[in-house]
Amino acid sequence: MYYYRTDLFKKYGIEVPKTWDEFKAAAAKVKKKDKNVRLASMPKSDPALLAALSWQAGGKWFATEGDAWKPGVNDAPSKKVAAYWDGLIKDDLVQSFTAYSPEETKARTSGRTLSFLGASWSAGGMKTAMPDLSGKWAAAPMPNWGTAAGGNYGGTSYGVLKGSKHAEAATEFIKWLTTNKAGVEARLADLEPPSSALPANSEMREVAAAKFDTSYLNGQDLYQLASAQVDTIVPGWTWGPNQMDVYTAVQDATAKSGFAAGLDAGRQKAETGITERGLKLAK
């Protein structure tokens, strides 16, 4: 999902970018109009976002061949994404605040950052983080590389550990929590503001949407927009057996040398981590 300030896009004469080429052009236009303002920030501290953008571009950080793992963290589509953002940062067309930092939020609230890359769940915290900007934000599909496409950025899942004493009951509870109207309403009842995460169960999206304050996005139906993006998610992505270790390697190297270097470090960590776990690595 792509979130943007409607009032400031109008002020700077910016159209909502539909492609990454349009995004770059808009970023250059904003900088030219005001040297203190940028279209967006791309954090170097959020490898999950880099993974989502790589996924959108057709990257596949992990795959399997028979009973062996085949890492592809720095495959060609992912490299394209890394080079794009390294270039934007080098040309000072976007900021690079630490993700979820006070500095990042302040830049948005002060109007120095006009938009940000997120997911359906991102909207849930906007009211808390930026309460005075109600009605000034809107959401749109993430810009793409020329064809409508998406990737998964974060989310929540529920599981039952092997060997649990009450596995059957726990599984039934999870089913109720995620597919039953009363369960979904109960999960959101005590949250202020309620989560804006898109339920995987399509029948529960309307239930969850009823709990979300649409006035913050000026009445926009966020759930309808997010639901439409589900069908554009590129198939074939596989999460690796040492995904979090790879994220750490990507983050550390990116902080020092940029996104391309981060992908290379992630690939190396993926390979060593697989072998260290006694798993097979495809040749």
Side-chain angles (χ1 to χ4, degrees):
M1 300 288 287
Y2 181 62
Y3 296 90
Y4 64 98
R5 285 280 300 271
T6 55
D7 55 335
L8 297 183
F9 265 46
K10 182 178 180 180
K11 175 182 176 180
Y12 292 103
I14 303 299
E15 297 291 332
V16 179
K18 296 181 180 180
T19 67
W20 290 117
D21 285 342
E22 291 178 1
F23 182 94
K24 182 177 180 179
K29 184 175 182 179
V30 170
K31 179 185 175 182
K32 185 176 181 180
K33 284 179 173 286
D34 191 332
K35 64 179 182 180
N36 297 314
V37 176
R38 294 294 180 272
L39 179 64
S41 171
M42 178 60 178
K44 295 181 178 181
S45 59
D46 191 356
L49 177 57
L50 180 62
L53 294 172
S54 298
W55 183 342
Q56 182 203 39
K60 293 177 174 60
W61 283 19
F62 287 92
T64 57
E65 289 185 356
D67 61 351
W69 285 96
K70 185 177 181 180
V73 182
N74 59 351
D75 60 12
S78 301
K79 283 275 195 176
K80 178 176 71 171
V81 171
Y84 176 83
W85 289 106
D86 280 337
L88 290 187
I89 291 175
K90 179 181 178 181
D91 294 338
D92 193 26
L93 295 181
V94 297
Q95 302 143 331
S96 189
F97 295 112
T98 300
Y100 311 109
S101 65
E103 293 78 13
E104 182 185 65
T105 300
K106 185 176 181 179
R108 293 175 187 172
T109 57
S110 66
R112 291 190 294 114
T113 304
L114 308 187
S115 64
F116 70 94
L117 312 179
S120 61
W121 49 261
S122 302
M126 293 171 69
K127 182 178 179 181
T128 300
M130 302 178 287
D132 296 334
L133 296 180
S134 178
K136 295 183 178 180
W137 287 93
M142 189 77 78
N144 58 59
W145 293 101
T147 302
N152 182 52
Y153 177 34
T156 299
S157 61
Y158 303 92
V160 181
L161 295 177
K162 182 179 180 180
S164 297
K165 292 183 178 180
H166 304 288
E168 185 175 344
T171 302
E172 187 64 26
F173 175 73
I174 292 172
K175 182 179 178 181
W176 175 80
L177 190 66
T178 56
T179 65
N180 184 284
K181 182 176 184 292
V184 173
E185 289 179 335
R187 182 174 66 84
L188 299 174
D190 295 329
L191 298 180
E192 182 58 43
S195 168
S196 59
L198 184 71
N201 184 283
S202 59
E203 296 179 2
M204 294 299 102
R205 292 171 188 171
E206 184 176 342
V207 177
K211 294 290 185 178
F212 184 70
D213 179 12
T214 60
S215 65
Y216 192 87
L217 294 178
N218 202 28
Q220 186 176 15
D221 189 338
L222 177 71
Y223 283 84
Q224 184 180 49
L225 177 63
S227 293
Q229 305 314 301
V230 171
D231 293 335
T232 73
I233 295 177
V234 179
W237 181 273
T238 299
W239 297 108
N242 59 333
Q243 189 74 44
M244 298 311 296
D245 288 340
V246 169
Y247 275 173
T248 299
V250 170
Q251 180 176 335
D252 290 347
T254 297
K256 296 177 181 178
S257 306
F259 294 106
L263 292 179
D264 290 339
R267 170 66 177 268
Q268 183 176 8
K269 185 62 179 180
E271 293 179 348
T272 58
I274 287 170
T275 56
E276 288 170 355
R277 283 168 169 74
L279 302 174
K280 291 184 180 180
L281 188 65
K283 298 181 179 180

